[in-house]
Amino acid sequence: MNKRKKRFLGGQNLRALFCLLMILCLPLAAGCGSEQAVEQKAPLVKSMTVGATDGASSDTYAGTVRGRYETNLSFQVGGQILARNVNVGDRVSAGDVLMVIDAKDVAQKANQGDAAVASAKAQLNLAQSNLARYSELYNEAAVPAAVLDQYQTQYDAAFAAYQNALAEAAQGHNALGYTNLTAGADGVISAMSAEEGQVVAAGQTVATLVQTGELEIEINVPENHLADVPVGREVAIDFWALSGQAVGTVREVAPMADSAARTYKVRISVPNPPDGMELGMTASVHVTGAVAANDEGYLVPLAAIYQTGGTPEVWVVSDDGTVALRPVTVEQFDDNQVRVHGVAAGTTIVTAGVHTLREGQEVRLK
């Protein structure tokens, strides 16, 4: 029994020693935890750049990729279309024959011109012979000067009629070349308004050719936002079917609004179009209105204002990632926004959690 009692007492001593060691290690563990707590990362804060969106109305307009040069094609003479060699969407090169009309009537007009030339030539020869004959008679004093003047006038009229017949004949022969409708430049056929067998008049639009050498974006802007798109302003362009963003420049603003929609057509050139930009694609054009001047102030969220006394302040984030308070003047409360003075455009300020920061504290921007 004594041995068992000694073993029991020895086991109790070991357990007591172990508990004592655990109690001594607790302060050390607490010290390690405090050191880890000190090494926490800088707080993550919400921020905004003053003047990036404030003072400016940012609008997005749906646009369509169009060609800068769009030509309505038509025949210079009328007739029945015998052949149509292209369809909508076909790419063509300069000089390609797009359509052909029946040249029989045009050829007959050319023949009439040739016959008129022959007739005028005969009249001119007769008038020239009569003038020569009566000139000799006048030199022999056989006829008075009035008779010679009469034949001189007949010759001049016959010569003018001959010149007119030559011009009309040349016009008729030129018309023979107009029976073939050719492309004046490289491009894409965007519309067809005539079919084979149809009789068309001279000047009637039968197709539309869009030159692919220079593409641009067309948008429609309402009259109350027309001041946001002056010629030369840069805009941002997104494409629904393409990745990335392009930069465009307002090239042309229509001088008159559409009579039905009351919007103005605006053409935007794209100096560096993205790969894959094709005619008819959908684009989103982001237009930022005129930015307000510094003396008009900037709109910031109400949560960005830090005020402990009588002077409102904002936390300004410097280039090294630390924050500092800057006094501002507040005016024009509007829902959850206020207009402030005292910060310049491009300044980054904290917009949430301003009461948990301290001067010179390093932060991370969300």
Side-chain angles (χ1 to χ4, degrees):
M1 294 294 293
N2 292 332
K3 290 182 179 180
R4 291 180 179 177
K5 185 175 182 180
K6 289 180 178 179
R7 290 177 182 173
F8 176 75
L9 293 174
Q12 286 185 335
N13 293 334
L14 289 175
R15 284 194 293 271
L17 180 61
F18 177 76
C19 292
L20 180 60
L21 291 175
M22 291 293 296
I23 293 173
L24 293 175
C25 290
L26 286 176
L28 297 176
C32 295
S34 63
E35 290 178 1
Q36 292 178 356
V38 173
E39 296 176 357
Q40 289 182 353
K41 292 182 179 180
L44 186 65
V45 297
K46 293 181 65 176
S47 65
M48 67 169 288
T49 301
V50 175
T53 57
D54 173 60
S57 58
S58 180
D59 298 303
T60 300
Y61 301 95
T64 305
V65 178
R66 307 286 295 269
R68 177 171 181 176
Y69 302 102
E70 298 183 6
T71 306
N72 292 327
L73 305 178
S74 60
F75 288 99
Q76 291 183 248
V77 294
Q80 185 181 34
I81 298 176
L82 297 180
R84 197 190 81 174
N85 303 326
V86 292
N87 296 305
V88 175
D90 288 351
R91 292 185 175 273
V92 298
S93 301
D96 290 350
V97 178
L98 309 181
M99 292 184 183
V100 179
I101 63 174
D102 192 352
K104 289 186 294 186
D105 292 341
V106 180
Q108 290 300 326
K109 290 183 178 180
N111 292 335
Q112 289 179 356
D114 293 338
V117 170
S119 175
K121 179 63 174 175
Q123 293 296 327
L124 178 62
N125 292 337
L126 176 60
Q128 185 175 12
S129 298
N130 289 334
L131 179 60
R133 185 179 305 111
Y134 278 88
S135 294
E136 293 179 358
L137 293 175
Y138 175 76
N139 291 334
E140 296 175 358
V143 295
V147 175
L148 180 62
D149 291 341
Q150 180 181 356
Y151 284 97
Q152 180 65 49
T153 302
Q154 291 178 359
Y155 171 80
D156 293 340
F159 181 79
Y162 176 68
Q163 294 295 325
N164 183 63
L166 286 176
E168 291 182 352
Q171 185 177 6
H173 285 285
N174 290 339
L176 286 173
Y178 300 151
T179 57
N180 291 342
L181 182 64
T182 59
D186 298 344
V188 175
I189 301 298
S190 63
M192 297 290 299
S193 54
E195 298 293 337
E196 186 174 330
Q198 181 178 344
V199 177
V200 295
Q204 178 181 340
T205 299
V206 296
T208 301
L209 174 66
V210 179
Q211 298 184 27
T212 54
E214 187 173 353
L215 300 179
E216 57 187 19
I217 313 296
E218 182 180 274
I219 61 175
N220 295 291
V221 179
E223 57 188 27
N224 60 328
H225 288 277
L226 193 61
D228 295 340
V229 287
V231 174
R233 165 157 291 182
E234 289 190 351
V235 296
I237 304 171
D238 291 324
F239 295 90
W240 183 77
L242 304 176
S243 60
Q245 193 176 67
V247 177
T249 304
V250 177
R251 181 187 64 83
E252 180 183 81
V253 179
M256 293 184 62
D258 182 83
S259 58
R262 304 309 305 168
T263 57
Y264 290 79
K265 286 187 177 181
V266 177
R267 287 294 187 106
I268 300 169
S269 62
V270 187
N272 298 307
D275 295 336
M277 189 176 81
E278 299 290 344
L279 288 169
M281 280 188 172
T282 302
S284 296
V285 179
H286 307 284
V287 178
T288 302
V291 179
N294 281 343
D295 58 353
E296 295 181 6
Y298 296 100
L299 288 176
V300 300
L302 183 60
I305 302 301
Y306 177 84
Q307 185 170 359
T308 56
T311 303
E313 298 172 304
V314 293
W315 287 104
V316 175
V317 183
S318 59
D319 295 337
D320 59 0
T322 60
V323 294
L325 283 173
R326 179 175 299 176
V328 294
T329 303
V330 177
E331 66 174 28
Q332 189 181 344
F333 287 81
D334 182 13
D335 294 334
N336 292 323
Q337 290 184 320
V338 293
R339 187 172 295 277
V340 299
H341 301 264
V343 288
T347 303
T348 301
I349 64 173
V350 179
T351 59
V354 296
H355 294 283
T356 63
L357 301 177
R358 65 180 185 273
E359 191 78 19
Q361 182 179 3
E362 185 176 355
V363 296
R364 291 179 297 140
L365 302 183
K366 185 176 181 179

